Amino acid sequence: MTGATIPEQAAPPEAEADATVMVRAENVHKSFGHLEVLRGVDLEVRAGEVCCVLGPSGSGKSTFLRCINHLEKINGGRIWVDGELVGYRERGGRLHELREKEVAAQRRSIGMVFQRFNLFPHMTALENVIEAPIRVRREPRAEVRKRGIELLERVGLADKVNTYPGKLSGGQQQRVAIARALAMRPKVMLFDEPTSALDPELVGEVLDVMKDLARDGMTMIVVTHEIGFAREVGDSLVFMDGGVVVESGLPREVIANPKHERTRAFLAKVL
């Protein structure tokens, strides 16, 4: 609700000082009724970094991701993307929620890919990709169409430009969803278990696209159970459980030698 406030301490002066930090979360809390899902999450992701988030179901991973673009409203703490406070403006040590139009403007810079593809079934692959830049950003159709075709080529779907989602495999639909998110030219991409709804043989084609994005320097936060992807592509790894960050560090180090017993128990089940 516009005008809602969250009492907080004033933001520390260094919160926006480091221009290399693309996403910063500080003491983020989120509850659904009496259920406290996030209990003080802190995270920093630098520009061009791939941060992989692991954890069991119910640990708060997906909820935290949705808080980054204000699809879920936080109950405490702060989140910045590229130095801009997400979802709120601060006055006198209190957070006042932005109007929906202002939040929508912020979301344009934050691409998100969900577990389910959420494509418009009545639109072709290309139409799905170009819809938001034309409708939301009011960009010229011809320019956006050219970019949309290039993006579909980039994700390996040059021959599916005029194909409807119902005629595409799950992996192809997810690649269209990635192209759709990229069409808005985001500063950061959020992936919420993007391969969990796919048949095993289709997982690789989606991960290959994500690896390509990482090589090109896209800032990414990836909630995933793909340990191999985290080890190979991730610059940092975060393990969450019970609504908090239990352990974080370099992916290879955390996976090979987890320091926390809860992390060891989780990895023993998934490796």
Side-chain angles (χ1 to χ4, degrees):
M1 183 180 298
T2 302
T5 59
I6 300 177
E8 279 288 333
Q9 296 283 320
E14 70 273 12
E16 300 176 39
D18 190 343
T20 66
V21 175
M22 180 59 71
V23 178
R24 175 169 179 168
E26 186 178 273
N27 196 29
V28 172
H29 288 255
K30 173 63 183 177
S31 296
F32 295 99
H34 296 295
L35 178 62
E36 193 174 17
V37 179
L38 300 177
R39 301 188 293 116
V41 174
D42 296 301
L43 182 74
E44 275 194 4
V45 181
R46 297 185 176 276
E49 184 175 286
V50 178
C51 174
C52 294
V53 183
L54 306 181
S57 297
S59 60
K61 310 182 302 295
S62 295
T63 297
F64 175 64
L65 212 63
R66 292 170 64 86
C67 288
I68 294 175
N69 63 2
H70 207 61
L71 286 175
E72 297 291 353
K73 301 173 184 180
I74 61 176
N75 300 115
R78 288 170 172 77
I79 299 172
W80 295 266
V81 171
D82 199 20
E84 183 178 6
L85 191 62
V86 174
Y88 301 90
R89 65 171 52 88
E90 185 171 3
R91 290 197 301 267
R94 297 176 71 88
L95 299 183
H96 299 260
E97 190 176 357
L98 298 177
R99 299 179 186 278
E100 184 55 38
K101 186 176 181 180
E102 295 171 300
V103 174
Q106 289 184 329
R107 288 195 187 117
R108 295 173 194 171
S109 298
I110 307 171
M112 187 155 187
V113 177
F114 300 88
Q115 297 178 36
R116 296 292 173 178
F117 326 119
N118 299 329
L119 300 178
F120 295 115
H122 62 288
M123 293 183 178
T124 65
L126 179 60
E127 288 168 343
N128 268 280
V129 171
I130 68 177
E131 175 75 2
I134 292 172
R135 299 278 185 185
V136 178
R137 288 192 180 274
R138 306 292 183 186
E139 294 184 44
R141 175 175 287 272
E143 177 185 313
V144 176
R145 189 176 189 280
K146 180 176 182 292
R147 188 163 81 241
I149 292 172
E150 290 171 351
L151 285 169
L152 286 171
E153 290 175 352
R154 180 176 182 179
V155 300
L157 294 173
D159 60 335
K160 303 296 183 182
V161 167
N162 296 314
T163 304
Y164 289 90
K167 299 293 186 180
L168 298 173
S169 70
Q172 290 170 335
Q173 289 187 62
Q174 191 63 294
R175 284 186 279 157
V176 173
I178 293 172
R180 178 181 58 184
L182 292 172
M184 292 293 282
R185 295 171 171 163
K187 296 176 180 178
V188 58
M189 287 281 285
L190 311 177
F191 292 87
D192 186 7
E193 300 193 34
T195 60
S196 65
L198 301 179
D199 292 334
E201 65 268 23
L202 302 178
V203 169
E205 63 191 47
V206 173
L207 294 181
D208 285 343
V209 171
M210 295 169 64
K211 291 174 185 177
D212 183 59
L213 290 178
R215 283 191 291 267
D216 283 353
M218 173 62 73
T219 308
M220 299 159 61
I221 302 178
V222 184
V223 171
T224 184
H225 290 297
E226 300 292 338
I227 305 298
F229 175 86
R231 184 192 291 113
E232 177 186 348
V233 182
D235 297 297
S236 62
L237 186 148
V238 170
F239 175 70
M240 289 183 64
D241 191 30
V244 299
V245 174
V246 174
E247 186 169 347
S248 62
L250 297 173
R252 290 179 182 273
E253 292 181 5
V254 174
I255 293 168
N257 187 31
K259 294 181 172 57
H260 197 281
E261 175 56 37
R262 185 67 188 90
T263 315
R264 286 195 291 271
F266 174 81
L267 289 172
K269 293 180 179 178
V270 299
L271 286 176

